[in-house]
Amino acid sequence: MTYAASRFSVAPMLDWTDRHYRYMARLISKRTLLYTEMVTTGAIIHGKGDYLQFNEQEHPLALQLGGSNVQDLAHCAKLAQERGYDEVNLNVGCPSDRVQNGRFGACLMAEPKLVADCVKAMRDAVDIPVTVKTRIGIDEQDSYQFLTDFVGTVAAAGCNDFTIHARKAWLQGLSPKQNREIPELNYQRAYDIKRDFPQLDIGVNGGITTIEQCLAHLQHLDGTMVGREAYSNPWLLAQVDSKLFDERRALLSRAEVVEQMIPYVEAHIAQGGRPNHITRHMLGLFNGLPGGRRWRRHLAENAHKPGCTAQVLADALACLPEEALIA
């Protein structure tokens, strides 16, 4: 199985799935495919920061690109391969106004030939998988025929792997947050695409919150992608390797994950960073356990303070009872 055909991945989420979250997630699950936040081609080519930075321990790791300029996407895909990414994914699912104004994201579903040209250019530029994350439709263009025409056109350009967010996107009148909740989920559309395109790797995203739901979807599909639940409740990932990949190995406890994050936080501080850049991703680590609220409160109230060190994690652990430390 290639990384592109992963049975389980964490969705790309702006401001959430940054390199610090991904480092922690990798301590919990070795097999989960991780995605960057969506990065625009403009930011990579013209931005002043290093938008491709990651830690080698994050593999397998996919870069999600936002853009529609064929040459720019090919260039960024090549840069991603040179930097060591395992996959490049094209965003054809984000419904925000800013993304639409840049002519990328979900609005590209209306231009399947352009998406196909982008995919072909990226595939010609790299050897790593080029994949697409899309919706089941946009606005009034939400028939199954519309989706099959899109998938068929893009697949003909060489894309073998699609993750389908099982909601259509409303490009006018709904916010990105509303677009994650209001349009009805229709998992059957993804199942039907797999039935009609059996040669493709098809995964599904949207509304998935448990490993049991993933297993149910995998009866019909090749992959599952979890978003907000994997962020707010990162310990969900602790079930992935054993239940979805049938791996039998010792897991770190939550406390051991925290202990391994301490030197990572120390290194970040040494480079001029602040502890809360990292600890904000760790607030949900003890959700549902005794002392979990005290853990969250201690980090939220202290990790942002001037002069704070990685000791804030050890102090937060000290707030927890023994049963939480060994869980």
Side-chain angles (χ1 to χ4, degrees):
M1 177 179 292
T2 65
Y3 292 145
S6 177
R7 289 170 62 80
F8 184 90
S9 60
V10 175
M13 293 177 282
L14 194 61
D15 295 328
W16 288 7
T17 53
D18 67 11
R19 59 193 176 91
H20 304 311
Y21 168 82
R22 299 191 307 261
Y23 186 90
M24 177 190 68
R26 184 58 69 217
L27 293 174
I28 303 171
S29 168
K30 300 303 182 186
R31 295 298 299 272
T32 296
L33 174 61
L34 300 174
Y35 282 82
T36 67
E37 306 163 88
M38 182 187 70
V39 186
T40 65
T41 55
I44 294 172
I45 296 171
H46 305 295
K48 296 181 180 179
D50 181 1
Y51 291 91
L52 297 179
Q53 182 181 5
F54 68 92
N55 188 291
E56 284 299 318
Q57 293 192 34
E58 294 174 36
H59 291 292
L61 177 64
L63 170 68
Q64 188 183 65
L65 288 174
S68 60
N69 180 285
V70 174
Q71 291 77 24
D72 288 352
L73 283 166
H75 176 63
C76 290
K78 187 173 182 180
L79 292 176
Q81 177 169 284
E82 291 171 353
R83 291 292 291 271
Y85 281 90
D86 300 298
E87 173 192 323
V88 176
N89 178 268
L90 180 62
N91 183 314
V92 191
C94 182
S96 78
D97 292 340
R98 182 177 66 84
V99 165
Q100 291 181 59
N101 292 336
R103 199 187 176 200
F104 57 95
C107 64
L108 286 178
M109 285 198 78
E111 301 185 74
K113 179 61 167 61
L114 174 58
V115 176
D117 291 342
C118 292
V119 164
K120 184 179 186 306
M122 288 190 285
R123 280 182 51 84
D124 288 346
V126 300
D127 300 317
I128 58 178
V130 175
T131 67
V132 168
K133 185 173 187 288
T134 188
R135 295 275 185 148
I136 60 173
I138 50 174
D139 297 334
E140 301 302 333
Q141 297 174 288
D142 62 352
S143 68
Y144 182 63
Q145 187 63 52
F146 175 76
L147 181 59
T148 57
D149 288 347
F150 175 82
V151 171
T153 299
V154 178
C159 181
N160 300 314
D161 191 307
F162 294 80
T163 298
I164 299 175
H165 186 157
R167 286 186 174 96
K168 75 174 179 178
W170 280 108
L171 301 182
Q172 303 294 331
L174 292 184
S175 69
K177 181 178 186 296
Q178 290 170 317
N179 262 294
R180 292 193 299 268
E181 299 168 350
I182 291 178
E184 291 184 6
L185 283 161
N186 187 344
Y187 296 125
Q188 189 62 46
R189 285 286 172 89
Y191 298 169
D192 292 345
I193 288 292
K194 179 61 183 179
R195 179 199 64 208
D196 293 340
F197 297 88
Q199 75 279 14
L200 300 179
D201 288 312
I202 304 296
V204 71
N205 169 229
I208 303 173
T209 59
T210 69
I211 297 300
E212 288 67 33
Q213 290 170 355
C214 291
L215 288 167
H217 287 305
L218 289 169
Q219 297 297 311
H220 308 274
L221 300 166
D222 303 292
T224 52
M225 177 182 280
V226 175
R228 286 167 288 166
E229 185 68 19
Y231 185 87
S232 61
N233 178 27
W235 205 248
L236 171 78
L237 303 180
Q239 305 175 62
V240 169
D241 295 6
S242 60
K243 292 189 176 181
L244 297 185
F245 293 92
D246 201 29
E247 284 197 357
R248 298 291 180 261
R249 60 177 179 80
L251 288 172
L252 297 176
S253 67
R254 290 171 171 85
E256 288 170 334
V257 169
V258 175
E259 289 163 0
Q260 292 204 22
M261 289 298 293
I262 289 174
Y264 181 83
V265 173
E266 290 172 340
H268 181 64
I269 293 171
Q271 295 168 358
R274 298 176 63 171
N276 64 309
H277 296 161
I278 300 167
T279 59
R280 71 186 184 95
H281 302 302
M282 303 175 67
L283 297 178
L285 197 55
F286 291 89
N287 275 2
L289 293 180
R293 186 174 298 177
R294 293 196 298 273
W295 160 266
R296 292 193 299 273
R297 183 186 304 121
H298 186 87
L299 292 180
E301 293 178 353
N302 295 284
H304 67 283
K305 292 180 178 178
C308 182
T309 70
Q311 180 64 32
V312 71
L313 284 173
D315 293 342
L317 276 182
C319 297
L320 297 168
E322 180 66 24
E323 59 262 43
L325 295 176
I326 62 175

